[in-house]
Amino acid sequence: MDTSLTYAEQLDREDPLASMRDRFIIPVHNGEAQTYLLGNSLGLQPKATKARIQQILDTWSQYGVEGFFMGDDPWMKYHDHLIGPLSNIVGALPHEVTVMNQLTVNLHLMLVSFYQPSGSKRKILCEQKAFPSDQYMLETFVKHMGMDPDEVILEVSPRDGEDTIRDEDVLLAIEKHQDELALVFWGGLNYYSGQVFDMEAIAAKARSLGIPVGIDLAHAAGNIRLHLHQWGADFACWCSYKYLNSGPGAVGGVFIHERHHHDIKLNRLAGWWGYDKETRFLMEKGFKPVQSAEGWQLSTPSMLLYACHLAALEEVQLAGWGKILGKQEQMKNYLWTLLEDLQQTAPSGHLRILTPRDWRGCQVSIFLAKDGRKIYDALMEQGIIIDWREPNVIRLAPVPLYNTFADIWRFYNAFKSLL
Ligand SMILES: Cc1ncc(COP(=O)(O)O)c(C=O)c1O
């Protein structure tokens, strides 16, 4: 394998998506573009975002509240622009996707509908060390229902001496606890290790035993190929500030399988934005939901957040989702080869890659047995922007839309000299 900068630059010259980088604003460090490898945390700003926001401000200033119905792009229809590109990215039917609120809020809302404990079936199966917000969400929701989280929440852990949870252990746990489970709730791509779970198998196993299944896709949406409709999960939620580049605190996304859209017995917390569109403004008593995922909306959406989201989704469309995934695979293979070289450079046992070798997606997590924090700080000082997770893990995620192969090489080269 060629570990030279010349080779990385050659890969960049051959990259069919190379021109996309110029459509994003790359932050600057000491007068040079940062080597920004944190798309797993906050994706960068598309240059087109400003104009999309300005368009909303212009409509507002020109029409006031009539902006919902007037102007080039009335706000009442804005949600429709988001659904096409998003449903393509998450592998859903357009009416199975809605854009609303933020991730943790949406997860709570989905539990209202899909966590229905009854009789001996009261437990929720989830991964050990799920992202903290998911843990707090489950803990407080269960308490709110008058139950004890320690009794209700069952976690699957990695085997002794292993860093990641085996898919087979998840399936075995579902089978073993089938008579007690009211919900399987899983993170599709683990935020700490970068592990991608076999969501298809987990959803199929849970459904075959009549257990509802929900997925947190915070680190998966816009990162890996998903087939939510086909996999048959009951619900999934994601944020759009990571790989979907829609800005800090961006609006969240929700998938609800179409088999639930007409089920009026399903619990839900409602608001007027989920009310049947034809008759919403009659303002009548009695909730009558839109017969699609939009029926779970509650509040008037933020057009400013929608505008940020639309600008970013248009970049995905311009690049082509298939091409993005293709470049991601190539970046992953390139990064992996350089990481293997780093592993050979480091003293034995010093550097361990937590992310499984057959990983999909942009993120890779590296465990450093010693001096991890020093290495991290030194990389950041050089403008190589990655992140640090206690106690000793570095995470990075080169993304196809704005990272280059030379970015990956710069990380490798700086890391190697620090080792
Ligand atoms: C896996 C996962 N779940 C939940 C959250 C919380 O998302 P939010 O703060 O948008 O509610 C995050 C945030 O990074 C996350 O990574």
Side-chain angles (χ1 to χ4, degrees), residues 63-247:
Y63 298 103
V65 71
E66 288 296 298
F68 277 98
F69 306 101
M70 295 176 74
D72 302 340
D73 203 357
W75 299 331
M76 283 309 270
K77 301 248 177 236
Y78 214 92
H79 185 262
D80 299 350
H81 301 326
L82 308 171
I83 292 313
L86 254 187
S87 55
N88 183 38
I89 291 170
V90 298
L93 303 175
H95 60 277
E96 291 176 315
V97 172
T98 191
V99 179
M100 60 183 195
N101 314 313
Q102 270 90 11
L103 174 53
T104 309
V105 173
N106 287 333
L107 289 173
H108 275 291
L109 293 175
M110 291 302 107
L111 285 205
V112 169
S113 292
F114 297 104
Y115 175 54
Q116 300 292 329
S118 82
S120 62
K121 285 169 96 63
R122 312 177 76 75
K123 297 197 175 170
I124 301 175
L125 189 79
C126 64
E127 64 198 301
Q128 191 199 37
K129 294 199 179 150
F131 187 83
S133 202
D134 292 12
Q135 295 182 38
Y136 310 148
M137 180 272 300
L138 290 178
E139 175 193 327
T140 55
F141 196 91
V142 164
K143 277 191 185 159
H144 160 77
M145 302 224 8
M147 293 182 287
D148 177 357
D150 290 336
E151 280 172 20
V152 168
I153 300 170
L154 283 180
E155 294 181 341
V156 184
S157 327
R159 294 186 187 180
D160 282 348
E162 297 187 4
D163 293 313
T164 51
I165 302 171
R166 295 192 193 192
D167 284 310
E168 63 191 273
D169 289 351
V170 184
L171 304 182
L172 282 172
I174 298 175
E175 203 157 310
K176 182 172 163 202
H177 298 286
Q178 56 180 286
D179 296 332
E180 304 167 289
L181 289 178
L183 180 70
V184 172
F185 174 70
W186 214 262
L189 196 160
N190 182 270
Y191 82 101
Y192 190 78
S193 66
Q195 177 185 14
V196 179
F197 287 95
D198 188 342
M199 289 170 259
E200 181 172 15
I202 294 172
K205 172 60 83 182
R207 289 208 60 224
S208 73
L209 299 169
I211 306 162
V213 55
I215 313 179
D216 178 339
L217 295 173
H219 290 263
N223 181 13
I224 60 173
R225 197 183 285 286
L226 300 163
H227 300 280
L228 289 177
H229 173 76
Q230 195 187 314
W231 294 343
D234 292 279
F235 72 88
C237 301
W238 57 92
C239 55
S240 53
Y241 42 78
K242 297 178 187 294
Y243 299 98
L244 292 171
N245 305 315
S246 303

